[in-house]
Amino acid sequence: KREVSLFDICQIQNDENKFSNALAYFMLRQEYRELWNEFFYSIDFKSKTKISLGEKFTITREEDSKINDDKVNAKNTPSGGRIDLMIRTSNALVVIENKIKSDVNSISEDGDNSNQLNRYYNYANWLATKKDSADYAKERYFIILTPKYNIPNLNEDMKEIYKIVTYEDLYSFLTLRKNKFEQDRNFVAFYDAMYRHTLENVNDYMYYEMQEKFFRRIIQNQ
């Protein structure tokens, strides 16, 4: 019964950049800001306080995380790479790394024994401790958004820093609040497209995809 959308037509269900674009777009829509406030507030960071986005949060896509500061020892504080989504609130920075099918489980170590997660962590900390920065003294939160079939295997240090949030978490949250977006065909298409990323493993995902194509063919030939 699901309507075919541009996610299907353009085959972008597995495209991390396109999903990140959709996330940023819908987060910034005024009518959905309270919805995202609820979602982020629901995330448990254990020792940290809850994320409160507020009304005036902003989002940057593909933010360059290179530290350009002669006072910072680049060797001891590696940086660089582009952050998928950086949310800024009045008192917090929220770094989101969106992983769908890329192999997050084998994040390669650089020559300086760091990886992209380390670099984003260093960059956010640098912003929050740089006194002439608009982000000075802000709280930092780090999130990896991922399908259930691609849960990252983080080292112990990164487990303490990054919170893993699955697409199932987001999908389940939105399912209970469909009345807030069910009249928006674009949002519904985005919501439907993420369903496949709630499945347990790649075989389930492939079966679901095959099943959808099969039923559509039957309907077309009726």
Side-chain angles (χ1 to χ4, degrees), residues 2 9 31 47 53 55 59 61 63-65 67 69 84 101 113 131 133-134 137 145 151 160 187 189 193 208 220:
R2 186 177 72 81
I9 296 168
E31 63 267 39
S47 60
L53 296 182
E55 284 296 314
I59 300 175
R61 279 279 289 118
E63 178 159 342
D64 186 356
S65 66
I67 297 175
D69 191 338
D84 289 333
K101 296 197 78 174
N113 295 319
K131 290 191 176 181
S133 167
L145 180 61
I151 300 293
E160 293 298 315
F187 200 119
Y208 165 77
Q220 288 170 1

Side-chain angles (χ1 to χ4, degrees), residues 32-43:
Y32 297 128
R33 285 187 171 241
E34 186 55 40
L35 181 68
W36 293 105
N37 260 297
E38 289 180 39
F39 175 69
F40 281 97
Y41 192 78
S42 71
I43 300 173

Side-chain angles (χ1 to χ4, degrees), residues 72-178:
V72 177
N73 187 324
K75 186 174 182 180
N76 294 331
T77 313
S79 64
R82 295 192 175 276
I83 298 171
D84 289 333
L85 293 160
M86 171 77 92
I87 301 176
R88 286 174 167 83
T89 77
S90 60
N91 60 2
L93 298 172
V94 185
V95 173
I96 301 177
E97 178 65 6
N98 184 24
K99 291 292 185 185
I100 292 183
K101 296 197 78 174
S102 60
D103 196 1
V104 72
N105 288 316
S106 60
I107 296 173
S108 60
E109 298 289 331
D110 299 333
D112 50 21
N113 295 319
S114 72
N115 58 44
Q116 64 185 128
L117 302 183
N118 294 109
R119 296 195 298 271
Y120 300 161
Y121 174 73
N122 292 338
Y123 173 73
N125 285 337
W126 172 69
L127 286 177
T129 55
K130 185 175 170 59
K131 290 191 176 181
D132 60 350
S133 167
D135 298 312
Y136 175 65
K138 287 186 175 180
E139 185 64 77
R140 282 83 77 196
Y141 300 86
F142 301 87
I143 294 171
I144 298 175
L145 180 61
T146 182
K148 289 193 72 175
Y149 57 76
N150 196 26
I151 300 293
N153 182 23
L154 304 179
N155 62 39
E156 292 304 315
D157 290 340
M158 290 299 101
K159 284 180 181 178
E160 293 298 315
I161 296 170
Y162 281 84
K163 173 70 176 181
I164 294 175
V165 177
T166 67
Y167 271 96
E168 183 185 38
D169 297 327
L170 177 55
Y171 185 86
S172 297
F173 172 86
L174 293 175
T175 298
L176 296 175
R177 294 159 179 82
K178 288 182 70 174

Side-chain angles (χ1 to χ4, degrees), residues 190-204:
F190 171 60
Y191 165 81
D192 287 339
M194 74 174 70
Y195 171 72
R196 66 190 59 225
H197 304 310
T198 69
L199 303 175
E200 289 283 350
N201 57 63
V202 176
N203 288 335
D204 290 341

